[in-house]
Coordinates of all heavy atoms in Angstrom, one line a residue:
A1 N -22.7 -3.7 -4.1 CA -21.7 -3.0 -3.3 C -21.7 -3.6 -1.9 O -20.6 -3.6 -1.3 CB -22.0 -1.5 -3.3
D2 N -22.8 -4.0 -1.4 CA -22.9 -4.6 -0.1 C -22.1 -5.9 0.0 O -21.4 -6.1 1.0 CB -24.3 -4.8 0.4 CG -25.1 -3.6 0.6 OD1 -24.5 -2.5 0.8 OD2 -26.4 -3.6 0.5
R3 N -22.2 -6.7 -1.0 CA -21.4 -8.0 -1.0 C -20.0 -7.7 -1.1 O -19.1 -8.4 -0.5 CB -22.0 -8.9 -2.1 CG -23.4 -9.3 -1.8 CD -23.8 -10.6 -2.4 NE -22.9 -11.6 -2.1 CZ -23.0 -12.8 -2.5 NH1 -24.0 -13.1 -3.3 NH2 -22.1 -13.8 -2.3
L4 N -19.6 -6.7 -1.9 CA -18.2 -6.3 -2.1 C -17.7 -5.8 -0.8 O -16.5 -6.2 -0.4 CB -18.1 -5.3 -3.2 CG -16.6 -4.9 -3.6 CD1 -15.8 -6.1 -4.0 CD2 -16.6 -3.9 -4.7
L5 N -18.4 -5.0 -0.1 CA -18.0 -4.5 1.2 C -17.8 -5.6 2.2 O -16.9 -5.7 3.0 CB -19.0 -3.5 1.8 CG -18.7 -2.9 3.2 CD1 -17.3 -2.2 3.2 CD2 -19.8 -1.9 3.6
E6 N -18.7 -6.6 2.2 CA -18.6 -7.8 3.1 C -17.4 -8.6 2.8 O -16.7 -9.0 3.7 CB -19.9 -8.7 2.9 CG -19.9 -9.9 3.7 CD -21.1 -10.8 3.5 OE1 -22.1 -10.3 2.9 OE2 -21.1 -11.9 3.9
L7 N -17.1 -8.8 1.5 CA -15.8 -9.5 1.1 C -14.6 -8.7 1.6 O -13.7 -9.3 2.2 CB -15.8 -9.6 -0.4 CG -14.5 -10.1 -1.0 CD1 -14.4 -11.6 -0.7 CD2 -14.4 -9.8 -2.5
L8 N -14.6 -7.4 1.4 CA -13.4 -6.6 1.8 C -13.2 -6.6 3.3 O -12.1 -6.7 3.8 CB -13.5 -5.2 1.2 CG -13.4 -5.1 -0.3 CD1 -13.8 -3.6 -0.7 CD2 -12.1 -5.5 -0.8
A9 N -14.4 -6.5 4.0 CA -14.3 -6.4 5.5 C -13.8 -7.7 6.1 O -13.1 -7.7 7.0 CB -15.7 -6.0 6.0
S10 N -14.3 -8.8 5.5 CA -13.9 -10.1 6.1 C -12.4 -10.5 5.7 O -11.8 -11.2 6.4 CB -14.8 -11.2 5.6 OG -14.8 -11.4 4.2
S11 N -12.0 -9.9 4.6 CA -10.6 -10.2 4.1 C -9.6 -9.3 4.7 O -8.4 -9.7 4.9 CB -10.5 -10.2 2.6 OG -11.4 -11.1 2.0
F12 N -9.9 -8.1 4.9 CA -9.0 -7.0 5.4 C -9.5 -6.3 6.6 O -9.5 -5.1 6.7 CB -8.7 -6.0 4.3 CG -8.4 -6.7 2.9 CD1 -9.2 -6.6 1.9 CD2 -7.2 -7.4 2.8 CE1 -8.9 -7.2 0.7 CE2 -6.9 -8.0 1.6 CZ -7.7 -7.9 0.5
D13 N -9.8 -7.1 7.6 CA -10.4 -6.5 8.8 C -9.5 -5.6 9.6 O -9.9 -4.8 10.4 CB -11.0 -7.6 9.7 CG -9.9 -8.6 10.2 OD1 -8.8 -8.6 9.7 OD2 -10.2 -9.3 11.2
W14 N -8.2 -5.7 9.4 CA -7.2 -5.0 10.2 C -7.0 -3.5 9.7 O -6.4 -2.7 10.4 CB -5.8 -5.7 10.2 CG -5.2 -5.7 8.9 CD1 -4.4 -4.8 8.3 CD2 -5.3 -6.8 7.9 NE1 -4.0 -5.1 7.1 CE2 -4.5 -6.4 6.8 CE3 -5.9 -8.0 7.9 CZ2 -4.4 -7.2 5.7 CZ3 -5.8 -8.8 6.7 CH2 -5.1 -8.4 5.7
D15 N -7.4 -3.2 8.5 CA -7.1 -1.9 7.9 C -8.3 -1.4 7.2 O -8.7 -1.8 6.1 CB -5.9 -2.1 6.9 CG -5.4 -0.7 6.4 OD1 -6.1 0.3 6.6 OD2 -4.3 -0.7 5.9
A16 N -9.0 -0.4 7.8 CA -10.2 0.2 7.2 C -10.0 0.8 5.9 O -10.9 0.8 5.0 CB -10.7 1.2 8.2
S17 N -8.8 1.2 5.5 CA -8.5 1.9 4.2 C -8.7 0.8 3.1 O -8.8 1.2 1.9 CB -7.2 2.5 4.2 OG -6.1 1.6 4.2
L18 N -8.5 -0.5 3.4 CA -8.7 -1.5 2.4 C -10.1 -2.0 2.2 O -10.4 -2.9 1.5 CB -7.8 -2.7 2.8 CG -6.3 -2.4 2.9 CD1 -5.5 -3.6 3.3 CD2 -5.7 -1.9 1.5
R19 N -11.0 -1.4 2.9 CA -12.4 -1.8 2.9 C -13.3 -0.8 2.1 O -14.5 -0.7 2.3 CB -13.0 -2.0 4.3 CG -12.4 -3.2 5.0 CD -13.0 -3.4 6.3 NE -12.0 -2.9 7.3 CZ -12.3 -2.4 8.5 NH1 -13.6 -2.3 8.9 NH2 -11.4 -2.0 9.3
D20 N -12.7 -0.1 1.2 CA -13.4 0.9 0.5 C -14.0 0.3 -0.9 O -13.2 0.1 -1.8 CB -12.5 2.1 0.2 CG -13.2 3.2 -0.6 OD1 -14.5 3.2 -0.7 OD2 -12.5 4.1 -1.1
P21 N -15.3 0.1 -1.0 CA -15.8 -0.5 -2.2 C -15.5 0.3 -3.4 O -15.3 -0.2 -4.5 CB -17.3 -0.6 -1.9 CG -17.4 -0.6 -0.5 CD -16.3 0.2 0.0
A22 N -15.5 1.6 -3.3 CA -15.3 2.5 -4.5 C -13.8 2.3 -5.0 O -13.6 2.2 -6.2 CB -15.5 3.9 -4.1
A23 N -12.9 2.2 -4.1 CA -11.5 1.9 -4.5 C -11.4 0.5 -5.1 O -10.7 0.4 -6.1 CB -10.6 2.1 -3.3
A24 N -12.0 -0.4 -4.6 CA -12.0 -1.8 -5.1 C -12.6 -1.8 -6.5 O -12.0 -2.5 -7.4 CB -12.7 -2.8 -4.2
L25 N -13.7 -1.2 -6.7 CA -14.3 -1.1 -8.0 C -13.4 -0.4 -9.0 O -13.3 -0.8 -10.2 CB -15.7 -0.4 -7.9 CG -16.8 -1.2 -7.2 CD1 -18.0 -0.3 -7.0 CD2 -17.2 -2.4 -8.0
A26 N -12.7 0.6 -8.6 CA -11.8 1.4 -9.5 C -10.7 0.4 -9.9 O -10.3 0.5 -11.1 CB -11.3 2.6 -8.8
V27 N -10.2 -0.4 -9.0 CA -9.1 -1.3 -9.4 C -9.6 -2.3 -10.5 O -8.9 -2.6 -11.4 CB -8.7 -2.2 -8.1 CG1 -7.8 -3.4 -8.5 CG2 -7.9 -1.3 -7.2
L28 N -10.9 -2.6 -10.4 CA -11.5 -3.5 -11.4 C -12.0 -2.8 -12.7 O -12.4 -3.4 -13.6 CB -12.6 -4.3 -10.8 CG -12.3 -5.2 -9.7 CD1 -13.5 -5.8 -9.0 CD2 -11.3 -6.3 -10.1
G29 N -11.9 -1.5 -12.7 CA -12.4 -0.7 -13.8 C -13.9 -0.7 -13.8 O -14.6 -0.6 -14.9
R30 N -14.5 -0.8 -12.7 CA -16.0 -0.9 -12.5 C -16.5 0.4 -11.8 O -15.7 1.1 -11.2 CB -16.4 -2.1 -11.8 CG -16.0 -3.4 -12.3 CD -16.8 -3.7 -13.5 NE -16.7 -5.1 -14.0 CZ -17.6 -5.7 -14.7 NH1 -18.7 -5.1 -14.9 NH2 -17.3 -6.9 -15.2
T31 N -17.8 0.6 -11.8 CA -18.4 1.7 -11.1 C -19.5 1.1 -10.2 O -19.9 0.0 -10.4 CB -19.0 2.8 -12.0 OG1 -20.0 2.2 -12.8 CG2 -17.9 3.4 -12.8
R32 N -20.0 1.9 -9.3 CA -21.0 1.5 -8.3 C -22.3 1.0 -9.1 O -22.7 1.6 -10.1 CB -21.4 2.7 -7.5 CG -22.4 2.3 -6.4 CD -22.6 3.5 -5.4 NE -23.6 3.2 -4.5 CZ -23.4 2.6 -3.3 NH1 -22.2 2.3 -3.0 NH2 -24.4 2.4 -2.4
G33 N -22.8 -0.1 -8.7 CA -23.9 -0.7 -9.4 C -23.6 -1.8 -10.4 O -24.4 -2.5 -10.8
D34 N -22.3 -1.8 -10.8 CA -21.8 -2.9 -11.7 C -21.8 -4.2 -11.0 O -21.4 -4.2 -9.8 CB -20.5 -2.5 -12.3 CG -20.5 -1.4 -13.4 OD1 -21.6 -1.0 -13.8 OD2 -19.4 -0.9 -13.7
K35 N -22.1 -5.3 -11.6 CA -21.9 -6.6 -11.0 C -20.4 -7.0 -11.1 O -19.7 -6.6 -12.0 CB -22.8 -7.6 -11.7 CG -24.2 -7.4 -11.5 CD -25.0 -8.6 -12.0 CE -26.5 -8.4 -11.7 NZ -27.0 -9.2 -10.7
V36 N -20.0 -7.6 -10.1 CA -18.6 -8.1 -10.0 C -18.6 -9.6 -10.0 O -19.3 -10.2 -9.1 CB -17.9 -7.6 -8.7 CG1 -16.5 -8.1 -8.6 CG2 -17.9 -6.1 -8.7
S37 N -17.9 -10.2 -10.9 CA -17.9 -11.7 -11.0 C -17.0 -12.3 -10.0 O -16.2 -11.6 -9.3 CB -17.4 -12.1 -12.4 OG -16.0 -11.8 -12.6
Y38 N -17.1 -13.6 -9.8 CA -16.3 -14.4 -8.9 C -14.8 -14.2 -9.3 O -14.0 -14.0 -8.4 CB -16.7 -15.9 -8.9 CG -15.7 -16.7 -8.1 CD1 -15.8 -16.8 -6.7 CD2 -14.7 -17.5 -8.8 CE1 -15.0 -17.6 -6.0 CE2 -13.9 -18.2 -8.0 CZ -14.0 -18.3 -6.7 OH -13.1 -19.1 -5.9
E39 N -14.5 -14.3 -10.6 CA -13.1 -14.2 -11.0 C -12.6 -12.8 -10.7 O -11.4 -12.6 -10.4 CB -13.1 -14.4 -12.5 CG -13.3 -15.9 -12.9 CD -14.8 -16.3 -12.9 OE1 -15.7 -15.4 -12.9 OE2 -15.0 -17.5 -12.9
E40 N -13.4 -11.8 -10.8 CA -13.0 -10.4 -10.5 C -12.7 -10.3 -9.0 O -11.8 -9.6 -8.6 CB -14.0 -9.4 -11.0 CG -14.0 -9.2 -12.5 CD -15.1 -8.3 -12.9 OE1 -16.3 -8.5 -12.4 OE2 -14.8 -7.4 -13.8
M41 N -13.5 -10.9 -8.2 CA -13.3 -10.9 -6.7 C -12.0 -11.5 -6.4 O -11.2 -11.0 -5.5 CB -14.5 -11.5 -6.0 CG -15.7 -10.7 -6.0 SD -17.0 -11.5 -5.0 CE -18.4 -10.5 -5.3
V42 N -11.7 -12.7 -7.0 CA -10.4 -13.3 -6.8 C -9.3 -12.4 -7.2 O -8.3 -12.3 -6.5 CB -10.4 -14.7 -7.5 CG1 -9.0 -15.3 -7.5 CG2 -11.4 -15.7 -6.9
R43 N -9.4 -11.8 -8.4 CA -8.4 -10.9 -8.8 C -8.1 -9.8 -7.9 O -7.0 -9.4 -7.6 CB -8.7 -10.4 -10.2 CG -7.6 -9.8 -10.9 CD -7.9 -9.4 -12.4 NE -8.4 -8.0 -12.4 CZ -9.4 -7.6 -13.1 NH1 -10.1 -8.5 -13.9 NH2 -9.8 -6.4 -13.1
L44 N -9.2 -9.3 -7.3 CA -9.2 -8.2 -6.3 C -8.4 -8.6 -5.1 O -7.5 -7.9 -4.6 CB -10.6 -7.7 -6.0 CG -10.7 -6.5 -5.1 CD1 -10.2 -5.3 -5.8 CD2 -12.1 -6.3 -4.7
L45 N -8.7 -9.8 -4.6 CA -8.1 -10.2 -3.3 C -6.6 -10.6 -3.5 O -5.8 -10.5 -2.6 CB -8.8 -11.5 -2.8 CG -10.3 -11.2 -2.3 CD1 -10.9 -12.5 -1.9 CD2 -10.3 -10.2 -1.2
L46 N -6.2 -10.9 -4.8 CA -4.8 -11.1 -5.0 C -4.0 -9.9 -5.4 O -2.8 -10.0 -5.5 CB -4.7 -12.2 -6.2 CG -5.3 -13.6 -5.8 CD1 -5.2 -14.5 -7.0 CD2 -4.5 -14.2 -4.7
D47 N -4.7 -8.8 -5.7 CA -4.0 -7.6 -6.1 C -3.1 -7.0 -5.0 O -3.5 -7.0 -3.8 CB -5.1 -6.5 -6.4 CG -4.5 -5.3 -7.1 OD1 -3.8 -4.5 -6.4 OD2 -4.7 -5.1 -8.3
G48 N -1.9 -6.7 -5.4 CA -0.9 -6.2 -4.4 C -1.3 -5.0 -3.6 O -0.9 -4.8 -2.5
R49 N -2.2 -4.2 -4.2 CA -2.6 -3.0 -3.4 C -3.4 -3.4 -2.2 O -3.6 -2.6 -1.3 CB -3.4 -2.1 -4.3 CG -2.6 -1.4 -5.4 CD -3.4 -0.8 -6.4 NE -3.8 -1.8 -7.4 CZ -4.2 -1.5 -8.6 NH1 -4.3 -0.3 -9.1 NH2 -4.5 -2.5 -9.5
F50 N -4.0 -4.6 -2.2 CA -4.8 -5.0 -1.1 C -4.0 -6.0 -0.2 O -4.6 -6.6 0.7 CB -6.1 -5.6 -1.5 CG -7.0 -4.6 -2.1 CD1 -7.0 -4.3 -3.5 CD2 -7.9 -3.9 -1.3 CE1 -7.9 -3.3 -4.0 CE2 -8.8 -2.9 -1.8 CZ -8.7 -2.7 -3.2
R51 N -2.8 -6.3 -0.5 CA -2.0 -7.2 0.2 C -0.8 -6.5 0.9 O 0.3 -6.9 0.8 CB -1.5 -8.3 -0.7 CG -2.6 -9.1 -1.4 CD -2.9 -10.3 -0.8 NE -3.7 -11.2 -0.3 CZ -4.5 -11.2 0.7 NH1 -4.8 -10.2 1.3 NH2 -5.1 -12.2 1.1
T52 N -1.1 -5.5 1.7 CA -0.1 -4.6 2.2 C 0.7 -5.3 3.4 O 1.8 -4.9 3.7 CB -0.7 -3.3 2.8 OG1 -1.7 -3.7 3.8 CG2 -1.3 -2.5 1.7
R53 N 0.2 -6.4 4.0 CA 0.8 -7.0 5.1 C 1.5 -8.3 4.7 O 2.0 -9.1 5.5 CB -0.2 -7.3 6.2 CG -0.6 -6.1 6.9 CD -1.5 -6.6 8.0 NE -1.5 -5.6 9.1 CZ -2.0 -5.8 10.3 NH1 -2.4 -7.0 10.6 NH2 -1.9 -4.9 11.2
D54 N 1.6 -8.7 3.4 CA 2.1 -10.0 3.0 C 3.5 -10.0 2.6 O 4.0 -11.1 2.3 CB 1.2 -10.5 1.8 CG -0.2 -10.8 2.2 OD1 -0.5 -10.8 3.5 OD2 -1.1 -10.9 1.4
D55 N 4.3 -8.9 2.6 CA 5.7 -9.0 2.2 C 6.4 -9.9 3.2 O 6.3 -9.7 4.4 CB 6.3 -7.6 2.3 CG 5.8 -6.7 1.1 OD1 5.3 -7.2 0.1 OD2 5.9 -5.5 1.3
G56 N 7.1 -10.8 2.7 CA 7.9 -11.8 3.5 C 7.1 -12.9 4.1 O 7.6 -13.7 4.8
R57 N 5.8 -13.0 3.8 CA 5.0 -14.0 4.3 C 4.8 -15.1 3.3 O 4.8 -14.9 2.1 CB 3.6 -13.5 4.7 CG 3.6 -12.7 5.9 CD 2.1 -12.3 6.2 NE 2.0 -11.6 7.5 CZ 0.9 -11.3 8.1 NH1 -0.2 -11.5 7.4 NH2 0.9 -10.7 9.2
S58 N 4.5 -16.3 3.8 CA 4.2 -17.4 2.9 C 2.8 -18.0 3.4 O 2.5 -18.0 4.6 CB 5.2 -18.5 3.0 OG 6.5 -18.0 2.5
F59 N 2.1 -18.5 2.4 CA 0.8 -19.0 2.8 C 0.6 -20.4 2.2 O 1.2 -20.7 1.2 CB -0.3 -18.1 2.1 CG -0.4 -16.7 2.7 CD1 0.4 -15.7 2.2 CD2 -1.2 -16.4 3.8 CE1 0.4 -14.4 2.7 CE2 -1.2 -15.2 4.3 CZ -0.4 -14.2 3.8
V60 N -0.1 -21.2 2.9 CA -0.4 -22.6 2.5 C -1.9 -22.8 2.7 O -2.5 -22.5 3.7 CB 0.4 -23.6 3.3 CG1 0.1 -25.0 2.9 CG2 1.9 -23.3 3.3
L61 N -2.5 -23.3 1.6 CA -3.9 -23.7 1.7 C -4.0 -25.2 2.1 O -3.3 -26.0 1.6 CB -4.6 -23.5 0.4 CG -4.7 -22.1 -0.1 CD1 -5.4 -22.0 -1.4 CD2 -5.5 -21.3 0.9
L62 N -4.8 -25.5 3.1 CA -4.9 -26.9 3.6 C -6.4 -27.3 3.4 O -7.3 -26.5 3.6 CB -4.6 -26.9 5.1 CG -3.2 -26.5 5.4 CD1 -3.0 -26.5 7.0 CD2 -2.1 -27.4 4.8
S63 N -6.6 -28.6 3.3 CA -7.9 -29.2 3.3 C -8.3 -29.2 4.8 O -7.5 -29.0 5.7 CB -7.9 -30.6 2.8 OG -7.2 -31.4 3.7
L64 N -9.6 -29.4 5.1 CA -10.0 -29.4 6.5 C -9.3 -30.5 7.2 O -8.9 -30.3 8.4 CB -11.6 -29.6 6.5 CG -12.2 -29.6 7.9 CD1 -11.8 -28.4 8.7 CD2 -13.7 -29.8 7.8
A65 N -9.2 -31.7 6.6 CA -8.5 -32.8 7.3 C -7.1 -32.5 7.6 O -6.6 -32.8 8.7 CB -8.6 -34.0 6.4
E66 N -6.4 -31.8 6.7 CA -5.0 -31.4 6.9 C -4.9 -30.4 8.0 O -4.0 -30.5 8.9 CB -4.3 -30.9 5.6 CG -4.1 -31.9 4.5 CD -3.8 -31.3 3.2 OE1 -4.3 -30.2 2.9 OE2 -3.1 -31.9 2.4
A67 N -5.8 -29.4 8.0 CA -5.8 -28.4 9.1 C -6.1 -29.0 10.5 O -5.4 -28.7 11.5 CB -6.8 -27.3 8.8
E68 N -7.0 -30.0 10.5 CA -7.3 -30.7 11.8 C -6.0 -31.5 12.3 O -5.7 -31.4 13.5 CB -8.4 -31.6 11.6 CG -9.8 -30.9 11.5 CD -10.9 -31.9 11.1 OE1 -10.6 -33.0 10.7 OE2 -12.1 -31.5 11.3
T69 N -5.3 -32.1 11.4 CA -4.1 -32.8 11.7 C -3.0 -31.9 12.2 O -2.4 -32.1 13.3 CB -3.6 -33.6 10.5 OG1 -4.6 -34.6 10.1 CG2 -2.3 -34.4 10.9
L70 N -2.8 -30.8 11.5 CA -1.9 -29.8 12.0 C -2.2 -29.2 13.4 O -1.3 -29.1 14.2 CB -1.8 -28.6 11.0 CG -0.8 -27.5 11.3 CD1 0.6 -28.1 11.4 CD2 -0.8 -26.5 10.2
R71 N -3.5 -29.0 13.6 CA -3.9 -28.5 14.9 C -3.6 -29.5 16.0 O -3.1 -29.1 17.1 CB -5.4 -28.2 14.8 CG -6.0 -27.6 16.1 CD -7.5 -27.3 16.0 NE -8.1 -26.9 17.2 CZ -8.4 -27.8 18.2 NH1 -8.3 -29.1 18.0 NH2 -9.0 -27.3 19.3
R72 N -3.9 -30.8 15.7 CA -3.6 -31.8 16.7 C -2.1 -31.9 17.0 O -1.7 -32.0 18.2 CB -4.0 -33.2 16.2 CG -5.5 -33.4 16.3 CD -5.9 -34.8 16.0 NE -7.3 -34.9 15.6 CZ -7.7 -35.1 14.4 NH1 -6.8 -35.3 13.4 NH2 -8.9 -35.1 14.1
I73 N -1.3 -31.8 16.0 CA 0.2 -31.8 16.2 C 0.6 -30.6 17.0 O 1.4 -30.8 18.0 CB 0.9 -31.8 14.8 CG1 0.7 -33.1 14.1 CG2 2.4 -31.5 15.0 CD1 1.1 -33.1 12.6
L74 N 0.2 -29.4 16.7 CA 0.5 -28.2 17.4 C 0.1 -28.4 18.9 O 0.9 -28.0 19.8 CB -0.1 -27.0 16.8 CG 0.4 -26.6 15.4 CD1 -0.4 -25.5 14.9 CD2 1.9 -26.2 15.5
H75 N -1.1 -28.8 19.2 CA -1.5 -28.9 20.6 C -0.8 -30.0 21.3 O -0.4 -29.9 22.5 CB -3.0 -29.2 20.6 CG -3.8 -27.9 20.4 ND1 -4.2 -27.1 21.4 CD2 -4.3 -27.4 19.2 CE1 -4.8 -26.0 20.9 NE2 -4.9 -26.2 19.6
A76 N -0.5 -31.1 20.6 CA 0.2 -32.2 21.3 C 1.7 -31.8 21.6 O 2.2 -32.1 22.7 CB 0.3 -33.4 20.3
R77 N 2.3 -31.0 20.8 CA 3.7 -30.5 21.0 C 3.7 -29.5 22.2 O 4.6 -29.5 23.0 CB 4.3 -29.9 19.8 CG 4.6 -31.0 18.7 CD 5.2 -30.3 17.5 NE 6.5 -29.9 17.8 CZ 7.6 -30.5 17.4 NH1 7.6 -31.7 16.8 NH2 8.8 -30.0 17.7
L78 N 2.6 -28.7 22.3 CA 2.5 -27.7 23.4 C 2.3 -28.5 24.7 O 3.0 -28.1 25.7 CB 1.4 -26.8 23.1 CG 1.7 -25.7 22.1 CD1 0.4 -24.9 21.9 CD2 2.7 -24.7 22.6
Q79 N 1.5 -29.5 24.7 CA 1.2 -30.2 25.9 C 2.4 -31.0 26.4 O 2.6 -31.2 27.6 CB 0.0 -31.1 25.7 CG -1.3 -30.4 25.6 CD -2.5 -31.3 25.3 OE1 -2.3 -32.4 25.0 NE2 -3.7 -30.7 25.3
A80 N 3.2 -31.5 25.5 CA 4.4 -32.3 25.8 C 5.5 -31.4 26.2 O 6.6 -31.9 26.7 CB 4.7 -33.2 24.6
G81 N 5.4 -30.1 26.0 CA 6.5 -29.2 26.3 C 7.7 -29.3 25.4 O 8.8 -28.9 25.7
S82 N 7.4 -29.8 24.2 CA 8.5 -29.9 23.2 C 8.8 -28.7 22.5 O 8.1 -27.6 22.6 CB 8.2 -31.1 22.3 OG 7.0 -30.8 21.5
K83 N 9.7 -28.7 21.6 CA 10.2 -27.6 20.8 C 9.1 -27.1 19.8 O 8.3 -27.9 19.4 CB 11.5 -27.9 20.1 CG 12.6 -28.2 21.0 CD 13.9 -28.6 20.3 CE 15.0 -28.9 21.3 NZ 16.2 -29.3 20.7
P84 N 9.2 -25.9 19.4 CA 8.2 -25.4 18.4 C 8.3 -26.2 17.1 O 9.3 -26.9 16.8 CB 8.7 -24.0 18.1 CG 9.5 -23.6 19.2 CD 10.1 -24.9 19.8
L85 N 7.2 -26.2 16.3 CA 7.1 -27.0 15.1 C 8.2 -26.6 14.1 O 8.8 -27.4 13.5 CB 5.7 -26.8 14.5 CG 5.4 -27.6 13.3 CD1 5.4 -29.1 13.6 CD2 4.0 -27.2 12.7
L86 N 8.4 -25.3 14.0 CA 9.4 -24.8 13.1 C 10.5 -24.0 13.8 O 10.6 -22.8 13.8 CB 8.8 -23.8 12.0 CG 7.7 -24.4 11.2 CD1 7.0 -23.4 10.4 CD2 8.3 -25.5 10.2
E87 N 11.3 -24.8 14.6 CA 12.3 -24.1 15.5 C 13.4 -23.4 14.8 O 14.0 -22.5 15.3 CB 12.8 -25.1 16.5 CG 14.0 -25.9 16.2 CD 14.4 -26.8 17.2 OE1 13.8 -27.9 17.3 OE2 15.3 -26.5 18.0
Q88 N 13.7 -23.8 13.6 CA 14.8 -23.2 12.8 C 14.6 -21.8 12.3 O 15.5 -21.1 11.9 CB 15.3 -24.1 11.7 CG 15.8 -25.4 12.2 CD 17.0 -25.4 13.1 OE1 17.7 -24.4 13.1 NE2 17.2 -26.4 13.9
A89 N 13.3 -21.4 12.1 CA 13.0 -20.1 11.5 C 12.0 -19.4 12.4 O 11.2 -20.0 13.1 CB 12.4 -20.4 10.1
P90 N 12.1 -18.1 12.4 CA 11.0 -17.3 13.1 C 9.7 -17.5 12.3 O 9.6 -17.2 11.1 CB 11.5 -15.8 13.0 CG 12.5 -15.8 11.8 CD 13.0 -17.2 11.7
S91 N 8.8 -18.0 13.0 CA 7.5 -18.3 12.4 C 6.3 -18.2 13.3 O 6.5 -18.2 14.5 CB 7.6 -19.7 11.8 OG 7.7 -20.7 12.8
A92 N 5.2 -18.1 12.7 CA 3.9 -18.2 13.5 C 2.9 -19.0 12.6 O 3.0 -18.9 11.4 CB 3.4 -16.8 13.7
S93 N 2.0 -19.6 13.3 CA 1.0 -20.4 12.6 C -0.3 -19.8 13.0 O -0.6 -19.6 14.1 CB 1.1 -21.8 12.9 OG 2.3 -22.4 12.6
V94 N -1.2 -19.6 12.0 CA -2.5 -19.2 12.2 C -3.5 -20.0 11.3 O -3.2 -20.2 10.1 CB -2.7 -17.7 11.9 CG1 -4.1 -17.2 12.1 CG2 -1.8 -16.9 12.7
L95 N -4.5 -20.5 11.9 CA -5.5 -21.2 11.1 C -6.7 -20.3 10.9 O -7.3 -20.0 11.9 CB -5.9 -22.6 11.7 CG -4.7 -23.6 11.8 CD1 -5.3 -24.8 12.5 CD2 -4.2 -24.0 10.5
F96 N -7.1 -20.0 9.7 CA -8.3 -19.2 9.4 C -9.3 -20.2 8.8 O -9.0 -20.9 7.9 CB -8.1 -18.1 8.5 CG -7.3 -16.9 9.1 CD1 -6.0 -16.7 8.7 CD2 -8.0 -16.1 10.0 CE1 -5.3 -15.7 9.3 CE2 -7.3 -15.0 10.5 CZ -6.0 -14.8 10.2
V97 N -10.5 -20.2 9.3 CA -11.6 -21.0 8.7 C -12.6 -20.2 8.1 O -13.0 -19.1 8.6 CB -12.2 -21.9 9.8 CG1 -13.3 -22.8 9.2 CG2 -11.1 -22.8 10.5

């Protein structure tokens, strides 16, 4: 339960209601004390009940090298005073490591 709480807290830090291990276990059909596999944790993190802020969002997974390159581009454009990276659409970029 401690590792499950750690997973939920690091994934859903903005909403305390999404950090309830008992609710997460219920979604998986498990009870306190049951072991949760890696595949079940992935399923939990992808479950719509835990993705309340994702409507209308798109996500991209990047390798470390790709993320470093994107960071350099963003900083170079800011320093040059040029237009935003995605000027045609309302957007925001966040890099989580």
